[in-house]
Each structure stands twice: as C-alpha cells, then as structure tokens.
C-alpha cells in the first residue's frame, strides 16, 4: 500500500510542477494591429499604398510589405535587399532588413519579406518621416521610398 501512496504523491507533484512550468513559460508575444497600410512615394519607381503585415515572437518581429512599386523587368526570388525603417513612439527607430521576396514579373507589384528586426515590449511603431522609410536594392539599383502618411488603422504595438 505504501508504494501506491508514494506513486500517487509523485504523480500529483509532477502534474503540479508541469502546470506551474506552463504558467510561467514565456509567451510568443502579439502585435496589434496585425496589418496596416500607408502611402509611400518611391520617386520615378512610382508609389501608392503599401500594405504591411507584422508578426512577433518574443523580441523578434518580421514585416512583410506589398507595395505599389513595379519593376520594368522580371526579378527572381530573393533578389531584393530591403530595409524598412519605422518610427518608434517617444523617439528612435526600429529597422527591419532582409533579402526575401517572391519572384516578380515585369510590371508586377513588388512584395518583400519577411524582413527581420528586434522589438521590445511596448514598442509602438509607425511610418518613418525623417528620411528614407523603405529602401530596396534591385540588381544594384537603389529605390528609396518615403512614407507620406501614417499607418492606418494605426501603429504596430508589440507586447
């Protein structure tokens, strides 16, 4: 009888420890809103609405951008180096970089991402107006885009 009681106690304690471990495990984090739009001007490359989707996992975040910018020639997958700069509420910026894109046909809108960056809990990120907000390097040609509006429905807020 004694061994059954000991096994039962061990089982209960093991279950309690597992539950406590889950309660104190770090969360993946969440960003709200998950997507936003803003207007960008890319000079002779065009401009218009850029749709930005954000995801978060702890202090890592990614941004994927669907732009109105088109290329005059086809661009293969993962051929566009991109940097997205977002303004941080209270001052400073957060930068997201990468060389990820699906293949783009001539005259088709460019989609970039996911671009990777680091965020902190409470970061509120919006369109960057103090310089180039989106920089793309396509076949050695630099395309600089300026944000001309704040994001709608609002800034990305990270938890």
């Amino acid at each position: 009888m004694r061994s059954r009681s000991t096994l039962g106690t061990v089982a209960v304690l093991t279950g309690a420890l597992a539950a406590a471990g889950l309660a104190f495990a770090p969360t993946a984090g969440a960003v709200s809103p998950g997507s936003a739009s803003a207007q960008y001007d890319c000079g002779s490359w065009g401009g218009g609405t850029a749709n930005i989707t954000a995801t978060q996992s702890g202090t890592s975040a990614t941004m994927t951008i669907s732009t109105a910018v088109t290329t005059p020639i086809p661009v293969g997958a993962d051929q566009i180096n991109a940097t997205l700069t977002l303004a941080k509420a209270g001052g400073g910026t957060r930068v997201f970089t990468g060389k990820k894109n699906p293949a783009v046909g001539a005259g088709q809108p460019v989609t970039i991402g996911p671009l990777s960056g680091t965020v902190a809990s409470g970061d509120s990120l919006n369109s960057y107006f103090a310089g180039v907000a989106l920089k793309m390097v396509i076949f050695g040609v630099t395309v600089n885009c300026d944000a001309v509006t704040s994001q709608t429905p609002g800034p990305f807020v990270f938890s």
Side-chain angles (χ1 to χ4, degrees):
M1 282 299 199
R2 189 166 219 207
S3 64
R4 274 190 172 163
S5 176
T6 302
L7 287 176
T9 302
V10 169
V12 168
L13 288 174
T14 302
L17 287 173
L22 287 174
F24 294 108
T27 59
V31 58
S32 180
S35 63
S37 299
Q39 298 294 312
Y40 283 78
D41 178 4
C42 302
S44 62
W45 287 80
T49 301
N51 296 307
I52 307 168
T53 303
T55 62
Q56 178 184 4
S57 179
T59 60
S60 297
T62 61
M63 301 286 170
T64 301
I65 309 153
S66 299
T67 71
V69 173
T70 61
T71 66
I73 59 174
V75 177
D78 302 333
Q79 297 299 307
I80 301 173
N81 277 310
T83 302
L84 174 67
T85 302
L86 295 174
K88 186 176 158 214
T93 60
R94 294 284 188 215
V95 176
F96 300 85
T97 61
K99 187 175 183 179
K100 297 296 276 177
N101 64 278
V104 181
Q108 297 298 309
V110 173
T111 296
I112 305 159
L115 304 178
S116 301
T118 303
V119 295
S121 181
D123 275 358
S124 178
L125 306 179
N126 205 336
S127 297
Y128 177 69
F129 297 111
V132 175
L134 175 62
K135 175 183 171 183
M136 298 176 280
V137 179
I138 307 169
F139 298 130
V141 176
T142 300
V143 178
N144 289 323
C145 302
D146 296 323
V148 295
T149 66
S150 292
Q151 294 169 193
T152 302
F156 295 118
V157 178
F158 296 86
S159 61

